[in-house]
Amino acid sequence: MKTCKRIGALLLALILTCSLSVTAFASLEDTGFSDVDADDWFAESAVYVRDNGVMNGTSDTTFNPNGTTSRGQIAAILYRAAGSPAVSGAADFPDVTAGAYYADAAGWAAANGIVTGYSDGTFGPGDPITRQQLTAILWRYAGSPAAESGTDYADESAIASYAVTAVDWTRDTGVITGRDGNVFDPTGRATRAQAAVILHRYLELLGSGAEETPETPEDSGETRVLVAYYSATGNTEEVADAIAEATGGDVFEITPADPYTSGDLDWTDENSRVVYEYENPEARDVELAQSTPADWADYDVVFIGYPIWWGIAAWPVDGFVEANDFTGKTVIPFCTSSSSGLGESGDLLAELAASGDWQEGQRFRSGASQADVTAWVESLNLA
């Protein structure tokens, strides 16, 4: 059985070696999907799985990124990725209909021990696939490799025994990582966008070959800039966009998982959220929708923007700073305020980060012009 899986993995690697050169550097100016913008976090992966014939759209022009992914779809995806090998006999599952798009895939996956059925003998082709099921399937398809146990997730005890080693392996390889709060969420469902990203990482991992030494890309000599910001009322966002325009940098919005409403931000209301958090510092640990931007390691300069709250940086920024390693990066804070200056906000964030080369920041009033922002950026003499 393991021999079959190794052959499958080698076949997949051969297929991908031929296809990666065509699609890996494709432009994302137009994804070809009306519901996938080029700057969506999953856009590159959606294009990749489509162009490599691994995962189709839900129509000629839509991808349906928030739709669920079923067990039958995952079986069919991996079956196509393996080259759709011939299958002898029908799948031995009472709920797999002959002629269904997943029928051959279910038979192939079961015969190779990649996707097993439930204890009652059914396959469950229409069931939404869970994160631990998807992890186990990809791990088996890779040949059930050994894995270091590593640091446990906070919900490690909730992971089914059949998926424990698989979870360790996907975490080690970066194929499937945990969610905020160091949880794996084993029974959570994978959306089509999530499945595309996971499959993209997984197929490139197998396609690269474990024994090969990856080619080191040439250094373009260009300084990559990221402008990360939290904006409560839009003022900081405007400055962040102006900095990105002046530097040619990318923009990352620091977004609380539980966004602040206008009422939450009313500092004149003693019962508002910000007043409560100000008076109760332990409540300022704001969970973020996403803590680390894509390609974080590639950025050389990071601007961090925020409004001033009670003389310090708005505390949603703290979570972003704590979550990331700024080693080797030049970090430049900026703030927006109608009256308060930058104060010690930049120094406090630098202490919180404990890494990176933090520079003196800049305070902007609301309505700062592009010319003012550009003049400040040019004064920094960035390489």
Side-chain angles (χ1 to χ4, degrees):
M1 193 66 69
K2 287 186 177 180
T3 300
C4 293
K5 285 184 279 188
R6 291 193 192 98
I7 292 173
L10 290 173
L11 176 59
L12 176 61
L14 179 60
I15 294 170
L16 291 173
T17 299
C18 296
S19 63
L20 284 175
S21 61
V22 177
T23 62
F25 302 104
S27 169
L28 284 183
E29 292 181 359
D30 180 9
T31 66
F33 293 119
S34 61
D35 53 357
V36 179
D37 293 332
D39 58 354
D40 284 338
W41 60 272
F42 56 86
E44 181 180 1
S45 296
V47 171
Y48 175 94
V49 294
R50 178 199 61 197
D51 289 354
N52 282 284
V54 174
M55 189 173 178
N56 298 323
T58 52
S59 75
D60 290 341
T61 59
T62 59
F63 187 74
N64 189 19
N66 295 320
T68 57
T69 310
S70 70
R71 287 167 55 86
Q73 288 170 345
I74 288 296
I77 286 168
L78 293 179
Y79 179 61
R80 286 196 296 267
S84 302
V87 177
S88 58
D92 189 20
F93 296 105
D95 58 343
V96 173
T97 305
Y101 77 90
Y102 54 79
D104 286 346
W108 165 82
N112 287 279
I114 296 169
V115 186
T116 58
Y118 293 129
S119 58
D120 62 359
T122 60
F123 187 82
D127 293 353
I129 197 160
T130 65
R131 285 168 56 84
Q132 65 183 358
Q133 289 174 348
L134 179 56
T135 300
I137 289 168
L138 297 181
W139 174 67
R140 294 178 192 136
Y141 189 70
S144 303
E148 296 291 335
S149 58
T151 303
D152 286 348
Y153 287 105
D155 56 349
E156 188 83 7
S157 61
I159 300 173
S161 58
Y162 71 81
V164 170
T165 303
V167 169
D168 288 334
W169 179 74
T170 53
R171 185 177 195 173
D172 288 346
T173 57
V175 171
I176 302 178
T177 56
R179 292 179 168 170
D180 287 345
N182 188 37
V183 296
F184 184 73
D185 189 20
T187 58
R189 298 178 178 181
T191 66
R192 284 175 53 83
Q194 293 167 346
V197 172
I198 290 168
L199 288 166
H200 185 183
R201 294 173 185 159
Y202 177 77
L203 297 179
E204 285 198 326
L205 173 70
L206 290 187
S208 66
E211 302 301 323
E212 296 178 8
T213 301
E215 182 180 347
T216 302
E218 292 184 9
D219 186 353
S220 65
E222 296 181 357
T223 298
R224 288 201 61 183
V225 175
L226 177 71
V227 185
Y229 72 92
Y230 168 69
S231 186
T233 61
N235 292 331
T236 309
E237 180 180 16
E238 291 180 1
V239 176
D241 288 341
I243 294 173
E245 177 70 24
T247 61
D250 299 324
V251 174
F252 175 78
E253 183 176 6
I254 300 170
T255 306
D258 179 16
Y260 289 81
T261 66
S262 58
D264 290 338
L265 295 167
D266 185 359
W267 59 271
T268 65
D269 180 359
E270 62 180 11
N271 296 313
S272 70
R273 177 179 172 183
V274 289
V275 171
Y276 176 81
E277 291 171 343
Y278 168 66
E279 294 176 346
N280 299 272
E282 69 279 2
R284 300 180 195 172
D285 186 10
V286 179
E287 180 184 356
L288 302 180
Q290 182 180 346
S291 299
T292 302
D295 302 324
W296 170 253
D298 297 338
Y299 291 104
D300 307 294
V301 176
V302 179
F303 289 84
I304 299 181
Y306 46 85
I308 292 292
W309 288 358
W310 283 274
I312 62 176
W315 30 89
V317 176
D318 292 352
F320 172 77
V321 171
E322 287 183 303
N324 295 295
D325 182 4
F326 293 86
T327 301
K329 302 183 189 300
T330 298
V331 189
I332 306 169
F334 67 94
C335 74
T336 55
S337 173
S338 59
S339 56
S340 302
L342 190 72
E344 296 182 337
S345 61
D347 294 334
L348 292 174
L349 290 176
E351 291 178 9
L352 191 62
S355 62
D357 180 14
W358 288 69
Q359 304 292 306
E360 183 178 355
Q362 178 73 8
R363 171 251 186 174
F364 293 93
R365 290 181 178 273
S366 60
S369 68
Q370 180 69 58
D372 289 341
V373 174
T374 299
W376 172 64
V377 169
E378 290 177 349
S379 73
L380 299 174
N381 296 316
L382 298 175

